[in-house]
Amino acid sequence: MTEATDLAARASDPDPRSGLRAVAALRRLLEQLEAVQVRSARAKGWSWQEIAAELGVSRQAVHKKHGRR
């Protein structure tokens, strides 16, 4: 099992403590994956508007979050 699928399975654990910890870990993993993909898109010449459209957020939001990296 991959880390993501293991965490997703644990997120549905009937024990709230275990489930919430898994949700928090998934959130951290998702943030890391997003940053990697945004850097990749920028390196390939994508505009902030193109990236924002794919993420379903505003250009300003994605630039604010990833523009300084």
Side-chain angles (χ1 to χ4, degrees):
M1 233 189 237
T2 68
E3 178 184 4
T5 54
D6 180 49
L7 287 171
R10 290 191 317 192
S12 62
D13 192 300
D15 174 19
R17 187 176 315 279
S18 178
L20 290 168
R21 286 180 182 162
V23 168
L26 280 166
R27 187 178 295 125
R28 287 188 299 273
L29 179 58
L30 181 61
E31 290 294 323
Q32 293 169 356
L33 291 170
E34 181 179 306
V36 166
Q37 291 302 326
V38 168
R39 281 194 305 271
S40 174
R42 291 295 292 164
K44 290 179 169 93
W46 283 41
S47 69
W48 290 113
Q49 184 61 47
E50 290 173 301
I51 295 167
E54 294 303 319
L55 291 174
V57 298
S58 71
R59 178 188 58 79
Q60 293 86 351
V62 76
H63 185 265
K64 181 179 179 180
K65 186 174 182 179
H66 297 284
R68 296 180 294 268
R69 296 178 184 180

